[in-house]
Amino acid sequence: MSVSLNKPEISVVIPIYNEQAGLAALFARLYPALDALGATYEIVFVNDGSRDNSVSILAEQFRQRPDVTRVVLFNGNYGQHMAILAGFEASRGDIMVTLDADLQNPPEEIGNLVAKMREGYDYVGSIRRKRQDSAWRTYASKAMNSLRERITNIKITDQGNMLRAYGRNIVDLMNQCAEVNTFVPALAYRFARNPTEIVVEHEERAAGESKYSLYSLIRLNFDLVTGFSLVPLQFYSMMGMLMSLLSALLVVVLVARRLFLGAEAEGVFTLFAITFFFMGIILFGIGLLGEYVGRIFQQVRARPRYVVQTILQQRDDGQPLPPPGVEKRTVGRHHE
Ligand code: UDP
Ligand code: MG
């Protein structure tokens, strides 16, 4: 059992966005599950700009268990992956575990991840035994997953699942990255020397609704693909080369036809169809280019990736907190 926040063995990082309905159930399972491991631990909650009561519930939980709880409060919504990265910067464990706040990732599985890490792996991913999401969501993400695996060469069997463990070496490397748009498990996989995966349970959301719309899922997948691969751009240059070649051949054929068989006037609508088809491809190509260019723009602007308003934490010597109202303002450390 942990008594001090001094260098715990395990840090659990949990992003929170409008999760007031489920937090009590999360605490009720998370703390006992970690106490049962018999290791020192800390839990770092990162509030990603919730507009509901999550902050006061987290603050109350901090009052209950200040020895093992830290709460990072963002001043706005910066997304799940930024929240996790901020959590990493605020944690000091040797083994970092991330999970969702909605109890879809059973806290009881943390022990299995930690056991695997102790075998000497530096990254332990997880595969959901039976996914408790809607059928279309499961199907769409499986299809996206296999396409992404081919494009990025990142071997993550089940990318939508955040119940994972990372070694201190990997987290230190991630803390040095200043990527504005990123996908934490993929970034970690890039740095891992000895990665593995285990199978875990998956439950239905305990309360509240998914914070991801179809739109934000598509955005996230673009982050994942553009952030880790140039294959889409290379695919377009290859396709452009192939199409130029084919159309050159077509010109030769048409000229020959014109010379030997005379003018051809039919096929106007076929021409329309082909033209629109290629216009679609070109527009998609420009859009894709824009996805990369936009990210480059965000990166060179170098604004803070997130702004930490306050961190609720006990002093290392176990002394009480500074009086309320004393705010510690920090920003993501690479833009300080
Ligand atoms: N989350 C977050 N910021 C966001 C969206 C989500 O911190 O902008 C958190 C959310 O509170 C939860 C986790 O990320 O702890 C996963 O979100 P959710 O369960 O809604 O995603 P799903 O399980 O539907 O993929
Ligand atoms: Mg969820």
Side-chain angles (χ1 to χ4, degrees):
M1 277 257 278
S2 172
V3 281
S4 153
L5 271 176
N6 257 334
K7 290 243 181 246
E9 185 189 6
I10 305 166
S11 293
V12 179
V13 173
I14 306 183
I16 311 277
Y17 181 55
N18 294 343
E19 300 283 4
Q20 62 174 13
L23 283 179
L26 173 69
F27 301 151
R29 277 174 64 184
L30 180 63
Y31 286 83
L34 285 165
D35 286 334
L37 294 182
T40 53
Y41 70 87
E42 65 180 359
I43 305 174
V44 182
F45 296 100
V46 185
N47 174 55
D48 187 16
S50 300
R51 286 182 304 269
D52 64 0
N53 256 332
S54 298
V55 176
S56 50
I57 299 173
L58 289 172
E60 175 54 29
Q61 181 60 22
F62 172 70
R63 258 196 302 280
Q64 301 276 326
R65 296 293 301 273
D67 54 332
V68 290
T69 308
R70 320 177 121 201
V71 183
V72 178
L73 298 174
F74 277 2
N75 74 345
N77 181 239
Y78 296 90
Q80 179 184 5
H81 291 262
M82 284 305 128
I84 291 173
L85 289 177
F88 283 161
E89 296 225 350
S91 27
R92 291 160 307 167
D94 284 328
I95 299 174
M96 309 280 183
V97 177
T98 56
L99 75 160
D100 289 349
D102 56 3
L103 281 177
Q104 289 199 276
N105 308 135
E108 296 76 22
E109 296 277 7
I110 294 174
N112 299 331
L113 289 172
V114 169
K116 207 71 189 163
M117 289 293 285
R118 286 181 181 149
E119 284 175 28
Y121 296 99
D122 57 357
Y123 168 90
V124 182
S126 68
I127 305 164
R128 289 168 283 192
R129 193 188 306 281
K130 187 172 181 314
R131 223 181 132 160
Q132 303 290 342
D133 278 319
S134 61
W136 81 265
R137 174 94 189 256
T138 309
Y139 173 77
S141 102
K142 273 215 176 105
M144 193 55 218
N145 206 78
S146 63
L147 178 66
R148 189 269 315 149
E149 198 156 294
R150 254 176 288 159
I151 295 177
T152 60
N153 211 7
I154 288 174
K155 305 257 172 311
I156 297 177
T157 312
D158 189 3
Q159 70 180 40
N161 184 17
M162 293 306 287
L163 179 60
R164 291 164 198 277
Y166 311 96
R168 174 43 66 187
N169 58 328
I170 291 181
V171 169
D172 283 344
L173 286 168
M174 285 198 276
N175 284 347
Q176 286 174 34
C177 296
E179 290 175 35
V180 175
N181 300 287
T182 200
F183 192 86
V184 170
L187 192 60
Y189 184 87
R190 271 279 186 271
F191 295 133
R193 274 171 292 137
N194 198 8
T196 188
E197 291 182 324
I198 63 172
V199 174
V200 295
E201 296 300 333
H202 190 236
E203 296 173 8
E204 275 183 55
R205 211 174 210 289
E209 285 177 350
S210 172
K211 306 298 178 285
Y212 280 99
S213 60
L214 178 60
Y215 175 76
S216 41
L217 278 177
I218 293 175
R219 305 292 335 145
L220 192 65
N221 273 295
F222 266 115
D223 281 346
L224 180 49
V225 171
T226 59
F228 295 91
S229 172
L230 295 180
V231 168
L233 292 177
Q234 288 154 353
F235 174 76
Y236 257 85
S237 4
M238 290 299 154
M239 194 165 65
M241 273 159 64
L242 188 72
M243 259 152 57
S244 318
L245 199 73
L246 289 178
S247 50
L249 287 178
L250 187 64
V251 169
V252 174
V253 171
L254 289 181
V255 167
R257 194 194 150 100
R258 170 92 208 207
L259 288 178
F260 298 111
L261 297 175
E264 188 227 7
E266 278 160 40
V268 176
F269 289 101
T270 317
L271 188 63
F272 268 119
I274 296 173
T275 309
F276 284 140
F277 175 69
F278 284 128
M279 268 159 54
I281 293 185
I282 292 168
L283 279 181
F284 182 64
I286 294 174
L288 187 69
L289 197 60
E291 295 287 344
Y292 284 91
V293 174
R295 283 171 176 77
I296 297 170
F297 182 50
Q298 285 180 323
Q299 199 70 52
V300 298
R301 272 194 319 223
R303 291 184 189 154
R305 294 188 294 172
Y306 49 80
V307 179
V308 175
Q309 196 177 330
T310 314
I311 300 183
L312 306 179
Q313 60 187 346
Q314 203 175 43
R315 277 170 44 182
D316 283 348
D317 52 12
Q319 287 303 300
L321 296 163
V326 179
E327 277 196 2
K328 185 178 158 233
R329 292 192 82 92
T330 53
V331 296
R333 75 175 214 209
H334 306 290
H335 301 285
E336 273 168 3

